[in-house]
Amino acid sequence: MILLQTIPDLRRHLEERRRQLPAGAVVGLVPTMGALHAGHVSLIHAARKDCDCVVVSIFVNPTQFGPAEDYHAYPRTPQADCEVCERNGVDVIFQPDPHEIYPVPPRTQVHVAGLTAGLCGRSRPGHFDGVCLVVCKLFNIVQPQRAYFGQKDAQQATVIRRMAADLDFPIDIVVCPTVREPDGLALSSRNAYLTAEQRRQASALYQALQAMQQAVREGLRRAPEITARGRAIIQASGPAAIDYLELVDPESLEPVESVDQPVLAALAVRLGRCRLIDNMPIEPLPVPCWTATPETR
Ligand code: AMP
């Protein structure tokens, strides 16, 4: 494994590797902000399985944080991250300084309209523009054939997929399932901010998603009735500010009124200074259909 910190060094290294690998070799990119956990490792494993060369980028991207957000406090654990990468068969870590990626303030914006308006986009204006800008830059710097993202950040994955399609990046966007703690809490670098009490309370997010799934299984179809079940669980768990809790179309991310097709249940909740997000795809069971047979006729 090699750790590189500048764009020219990375480009040179990957050029050399591509020369050595057989024609058609696949480079996979796993973009991260570090403080690596088992969720990130699942993306690394997926990339390791599919690709000849696995590049993990570790970069806390300033342009995706709002002025009042946690850019400076975001956990940074570079030494431990290197060990995780080494143990899990990563070939190249790209860990640039902010100045390497943004030598001057960027004037270019990458805005995916519509998909970024709701859910996290509503309370984090400009967040997805920052994500798209840095992912675009990483795609250009690394030029991978595949890039790996987590379902945990479902809106991000949908936005990136659309950006890659709209801008003709010849890159397969692979979305990997959410890795959870035994009590259902989705792994996140931000879980480190939780107090012991908030950590106990945080399992209510997954319980809320499960309750909404259960409501659909019981035959509920109207979104307000289904989301009320999720809200009740979070409110009963203790002091929490629900940023959003919605059922949306998994492609357009538009809110749905009625669950007649597969939907995405998505939520963001603040516990103290920690904002947690999670989601669950939910499929309505087909309405039972009794076909008359000669016996039942
Ligand atoms: P981050 O370092 O938080 O920017 O995340 C880097 C990538 O890891 C993103 O594509 C995330 O969606 C993904 N990721 C984060 N947490 C999880 C998780 N619990 N399960 C699966 N993927 C995750």
Side-chain angles (χ1 to χ4, degrees):
M1 187 181 78
I2 185 167
L3 184 147
L4 300 166
Q5 296 191 289
T6 71
I7 296 169
D9 281 354
L10 182 73
R11 286 212 162 115
R12 225 173 298 136
H13 181 81
L14 289 176
E15 224 168 84
E16 186 55 37
R17 255 183 203 259
R18 285 191 168 101
R19 253 201 303 276
Q20 289 164 358
L21 287 167
V26 173
V27 173
L29 171 66
V30 181
T32 81
M33 298 207 298
L36 300 182
H37 52 63
H40 299 112
V41 171
S42 73
L43 308 189
I44 293 172
H45 285 175
R48 187 66 284 164
K49 198 156 66 60
D50 296 349
C51 306
D52 303 285
C53 173
V54 176
V55 181
V56 171
S57 61
I58 298 178
F59 180 61
V60 184
N61 173 37
T63 62
Q64 70 189 69
F65 289 80
E69 292 184 356
D70 57 346
Y71 173 66
H72 293 289
Y74 195 85
R76 290 164 170 85
T77 58
Q79 188 55 45
D81 290 349
C82 284
E83 288 162 20
V84 169
C85 288
E86 180 87 86
R87 269 203 308 279
N88 289 283
V90 170
D91 297 297
V92 182
I93 302 182
F94 179 49
Q95 196 176 36
D97 270 359
H99 269 285
E100 185 67 17
I101 298 296
Y102 301 114
V104 293
R107 287 188 178 277
T108 302
Q109 288 194 346
V110 186
H111 179 67
V112 177
L115 296 177
T116 58
L119 303 178
C120 286
R122 204 172 299 123
S123 55
R124 302 187 73 188
H127 166 69
F128 289 109
D129 294 359
V131 170
C132 286
L133 179 62
V134 82
V135 171
C136 233
K137 285 164 80 77
L138 289 168
F139 282 0
N140 282 326
I141 294 165
V142 177
Q143 302 190 5
Q145 280 71 47
R146 290 169 177 250
Y148 294 79
F149 296 86
Q151 172 69 22
K152 155 80 171 34
D153 298 275
Q155 185 175 21
Q156 170 174 282
T158 303
V159 167
I160 297 291
R161 210 193 273 286
R162 183 59 191 256
M163 178 197 80
D166 284 352
L167 297 182
D168 297 307
F169 280 108
I171 300 174
D172 278 346
I173 306 298
V174 183
V175 181
C176 301
T178 302
V179 177
R180 299 178 179 282
E181 300 280 7
D183 69 346
L185 176 65
L187 296 189
S188 162
S189 308
R190 288 191 168 101
N191 293 351
Y193 299 152
L194 295 169
T195 63
E197 181 48 34
Q198 288 163 352
R199 172 62 191 84
R200 265 193 298 280
Q201 201 188 339
S203 61
L205 274 67
Y206 184 59
Q207 289 162 13
L209 293 168
Q210 283 182 310
M212 291 192 276
Q213 183 182 53
Q214 181 57 28
V216 173
R217 285 190 182 148
E218 286 169 19
L220 262 63
R221 290 289 176 267
R222 289 197 54 250
E225 286 167 25
I226 298 163
T227 54
R229 295 236 188 141
R231 271 175 201 283
I233 287 175
I234 289 166
Q235 280 156 356
S237 73
I242 299 176
D243 190 352
Y244 63 78
L245 185 154
E246 288 181 43
L247 299 179
V248 297
D249 178 276
E251 297 292 317
S252 70
L253 305 182
E254 294 285 343
V256 300
E257 268 307 303
S258 174
V259 179
D260 308 310
Q261 305 285 333
V263 294
L264 185 75
L267 52 78
V269 174
R270 282 175 207 275
L271 301 178
R273 69 182 184 112
C274 187
R275 182 177 179 278
L276 301 177
I277 61 171
D278 203 348
N279 68 84
M280 185 185 281
I282 297 179
E283 292 210 15
L285 295 176
V287 178
C289 163
W290 301 102
T291 311
T293 61
E295 292 78 44
T296 58
R297 222 172 255 141

